[in-house]
Amino acid sequence: MNDSSDGWRTLRCALLVVFCLSSTGALAGEFSLSGTSQYLKLSEKFGGAESYSLSPGVRYDEGVWYANAYLPILFQTRNSMARVGQMTVPAGSSGMGSGGMSNHMGTSGGGMSGGIRPALGDLYWNGGYRIFAEEDILPAVWLTAQTKAPTAMSGFGTGAWDFGGGAGLKKTFGSFLSFLDLAYLVTGTAYRDPLIYGFGAGPVLGDGLWSILLYYQGSTPVLDGLAGQSQLSAGANLRTSEDFFLSATVARGFSDSVPEMSAAAGASVYLR
């Protein structure tokens, strides 16, 4: 059985568990459904390729812990790029030796001659558990985990499972929010396993109705000849009602392993 079949089996089992727990009242938290559309413009090392995606997702939040999953539908001008964490890397589980980027990319292989091809992406899951609540000068402390199942069509993913774990700090100063993230990712491939870090801050205004946040994310390299990620993003979130939220993000990349530019817009609704 291949990795994609294993990924779909895991998804079906997870959905069955959620359904059973919900039907028996075992889950006391809140579910929300989300949808995000995103545009990426990649560096010239990826042929200046463009990528569009639609990502439906589901989230469960119980205050001290949460779980979130989403499955992107991709529309790309090349089928030779995949994601490791937030990094863009050469796709496929083969041919990832020590020769650097020149062995994996370029016009001679892996890409499409023209047009945009739709494809299913990899299934992502992440979650967190709060071990310390915010108190006085002390921040809230979260333990986090993430998994990627190889459900992507050939050439649109790494073809392997990813597993990651880390921690996050969150601290508010009046209406000002700040946070710090640190995680280690095991790629399950010939890629290096990166250390990923990020920090951000911004105001939460209008009695919590909207916020503006700046966030920087970086990492160690995953492949010879490909620098680690370095990206700065700005996002805005708006709560239009008790159960409905809108979001928008723009980002600028400063290394070849992240998009030169990206833009995303999304919405989420709580099921109460």
Side-chain angles (χ1 to χ4, degrees), residues 156-236:
F156 288 87
T158 63
W161 287 81
D162 290 348
F163 298 95
L169 304 178
K170 179 180 177 181
K171 185 73 178 82
T172 55
F173 301 91
S175 62
F176 198 82
L177 172 66
S178 62
F179 46 95
L180 173 68
D181 301 311
L182 187 67
Y184 185 75
L185 187 66
V186 178
T187 66
T189 66
Y191 296 117
R192 299 176 185 174
D193 299 333
L195 179 67
I196 303 170
Y197 51 89
F199 51 88
V204 180
L205 304 172
D207 294 327
L209 291 179
W210 62 284
S211 63
I212 300 175
L213 300 173
L214 290 177
Y215 185 71
Y216 175 81
Q217 189 166 54
S219 77
T220 57
V222 296
L223 188 68
D224 291 339
L226 185 67
Q229 64 182 320
S230 177
Q231 180 175 268
L232 180 65
S233 60

Side-chain angles (χ1 to χ4, degrees), residues 30-37 55-61 67-70 209 236-248 264-272:
E30 297 179 320
F31 280 98
S32 62
L33 300 178
S34 64
T36 302
S37 60
S55 299
V58 60
R59 178 185 174 98
Y60 177 76
D61 197 322
N68 178 65
Y70 65 94
L209 291 179
N237 301 279
L238 174 64
R239 188 180 74 190
T240 61
S241 69
E242 185 67 23
D243 299 325
F244 192 73
F245 296 80
L246 297 173
S247 63
S268 59
V269 58
Y270 279 88
L271 307 177
R272 303 182 191 276

Side-chain angles (χ1 to χ4, degrees), residues 9-215:
R9 174 177 291 180
T10 300
L11 175 60
R12 292 195 297 267
C13 290
L15 291 176
L16 179 60
V17 169
V18 169
F19 173 78
C20 292
L21 291 174
S22 299
S23 63
T24 60
L27 293 177
E30 297 179 320
F31 280 98
S32 62
L33 300 178
S34 64
T36 302
S37 60
Q38 185 179 47
Y39 165 78
L40 306 177
K41 173 66 168 62
L42 304 182
S43 73
E44 290 305 317
K45 279 198 173 183
F46 291 85
E50 295 176 297
S51 175
Y52 307 83
S53 65
L54 297 173
S55 299
V58 60
R59 178 185 174 98
Y60 177 76
D61 197 322
E62 201 168 281
V64 297
W65 69 274
Y66 70 89
N68 178 65
Y70 65 94
L71 182 64
I73 303 169
L74 306 172
F75 303 86
Q76 295 183 176
T77 55
R78 284 183 179 271
N79 64 340
S80 54
M81 53 190 172
R83 307 286 278 177
V84 171
Q86 297 300 312
M87 284 170 284
T88 305
V89 296
S93 57
S94 61
M96 294 181 289
S98 59
M101 287 290 295
S102 60
N103 288 345
H104 314 297
M105 300 299 297
T107 58
S108 60
M112 293 175 285
S113 58
I116 294 178
R117 175 184 173 185
L120 192 66
D122 287 322
L123 171 67
Y124 288 86
W125 174 90
N126 63 77
Y129 182 79
R130 191 185 69 199
I131 57 174
F132 295 109
E134 183 175 348
E135 185 175 350
D136 297 328
I137 63 172
L138 298 178
V141 181
W142 292 77
L143 297 180
T144 60
Q146 59 180 299
T147 301
K148 184 203 74 177
T151 57
M153 295 172 61
S154 177
F156 288 87
T158 63
W161 287 81
D162 290 348
F163 298 95
L169 304 178
K170 179 180 177 181
K171 185 73 178 82
T172 55
F173 301 91
S175 62
F176 198 82
L177 172 66
S178 62
F179 46 95
L180 173 68
D181 301 311
L182 187 67
Y184 185 75
L185 187 66
V186 178
T187 66
T189 66
Y191 296 117
R192 299 176 185 174
D193 299 333
L195 179 67
I196 303 170
Y197 51 89
F199 51 88
V204 180
L205 304 172
D207 294 327
L209 291 179
W210 62 284
S211 63
I212 300 175
L213 300 173
L214 290 177
Y215 185 71

